[in-house]
Amino acid sequence: MDQKKVLSLEDRIPKIKEHRKRKANRRLIFLISLFFLLILLVIYFQSPLSHVSEIKVKGNESVPDQTIIKRSGLKSGDNIWKLDKKKAVQKLEDHQEVKHAKVKIAFPNTVYLQIQEYKTIAYVLTGTEFHPILENGLIVESSPKGGVPVNAPILSNFKEDAILENMAKELKELKPEIVNVISEIHYTPKKTDKYHITLFMNDGFEVSATILTFSEKMVHYPSIVSQLDPKVKGVIDMEVGSFFKAYETKGASGEGEQQE
C-alpha cells in the first residue's frame, strides 16, 4: 500500500511541474502582452492617429457643411479623446436651423456631426427674395437654393412674431397632402379677429380662416372640396362653421355646406 502511494505521488510530480510551468508561461505571456500594449498606447497617443484627421457632416440640407463645422468649435488636429462633445452639441443646437445634433467618433480619428434641421414649412416673400419659414416660426435670412419648391406655401404680410409662430405651428399639424395644395397664405387681420388669414389654393379656391383653429378646420378641406363643383370657384369660409360662397353670387351657396 505504502509503495503504491509513493509511486502514485512520484507519478504526479511531473504533472504538477508541467502545470506550474504552463501557468508561469501564461503569466509571462500576459505581462509581455500588457507591456507591448502599453507601448502601443504610448505610440498611439504620441502619433497623429490620436488627433482628428477629418470632420464629416451628415443630415444637413440647408446649413452648409463648413458652417456646421465652424460652429461646432471642433477642428482637425484636436486630440480626439479630449473633445468636448457636449459643448459642441450645445453650440450646434444654438443655430436657428438646427433642431438636434450629435457628435460621434469613428475609429481611428474621424468625427461625425449628425444634424437634424427644423423643417421648412413655408416661405415668406421679403422684397424680391423668398426666405424659408421653419417649423419653429423663425425666418431664415438666407434664400433657398434653386428657387422655392412648388409645393411650399408662400406667406405674405407676416412678421417674425407670435402670429407667425402660431401660423407655423398650425401648418406643422397639417398632413403634407393638405399643405401641398396651399399656394399662398395672406395675413389679413380684422377688427374682430387679429388672427384672420386668407388662403389661395392651387385648385383655384379661396379660404377664409383664423389661425386659432386653422389646422382643426383645414383637416376637412378635401371633404368639402369633393362636394363642390370644380368649375364653380369661390370662397370657403372656415372662420366659425364651414360654408361655400361662389364668386359670381353674393349669397351663400348651400352646395357643399359643412357645419361643425
Side-chain angles (χ1 to χ4, degrees), residues 151-193:
N151 294 328
I154 305 299
L155 273 59
S156 297
N157 303 325
F158 284 88
K159 296 180 181 179
E160 196 168 359
D161 54 14
I163 299 291
L164 178 59
E165 186 176 344
N166 287 333
M167 184 75 256
K169 288 179 180 178
E170 291 294 309
L171 280 170
K172 184 183 175 182
E173 294 295 319
L174 288 178
K175 293 181 178 179
E177 52 265 30
I178 297 178
V179 176
N180 292 344
V181 80
I182 303 173
S183 175
E184 299 177 23
I185 302 176
H186 293 254
Y187 177 50
T188 51
K190 298 179 178 181
K191 289 183 179 180
T192 55
D193 182 15

Side-chain angles (χ1 to χ4, degrees), residues 200-228:
F200 296 95
M201 313 301 285
N202 288 323
D203 54 15
F205 290 100
E206 182 181 332
V207 175
S208 178
T210 179
I211 296 174
L212 298 177
T213 58
F214 178 70
S215 60
E216 177 187 344
K217 298 287 186 179
M218 282 299 291
V219 168
H220 305 291
Y221 182 81
S223 175
I224 296 172
V225 171
S226 68
Q227 300 176 54
L228 300 176

Side-chain angles (χ1 to χ4, degrees), residues 119-165:
K119 293 180 180 179
T120 298
I121 57 173
Y123 288 86
V124 63
L125 178 61
T126 305
T128 58
E129 294 185 341
F130 291 99
H131 298 277
I133 299 175
L134 307 180
E135 59 182 302
N136 58 356
L138 293 176
I139 299 176
V140 180
E141 295 181 2
S142 59
S143 300
K145 298 178 180 179
V148 181
V150 176
N151 294 328
I154 305 299
L155 273 59
S156 297
N157 303 325
F158 284 88
K159 296 180 181 179
E160 196 168 359
D161 54 14
I163 299 291
L164 178 59
E165 186 176 344

Side-chain angles (χ1 to χ4, degrees), residues 227-247:
Q227 300 176 54
L228 300 176
D229 184 349
K231 295 180 181 179
V232 181
K233 304 301 181 183
V235 179
I236 299 173
D237 194 316
M238 292 186 176
E239 289 185 69
V240 181
S242 296
F243 64 90
F244 173 71
K245 182 169 62 177
Y247 284 135

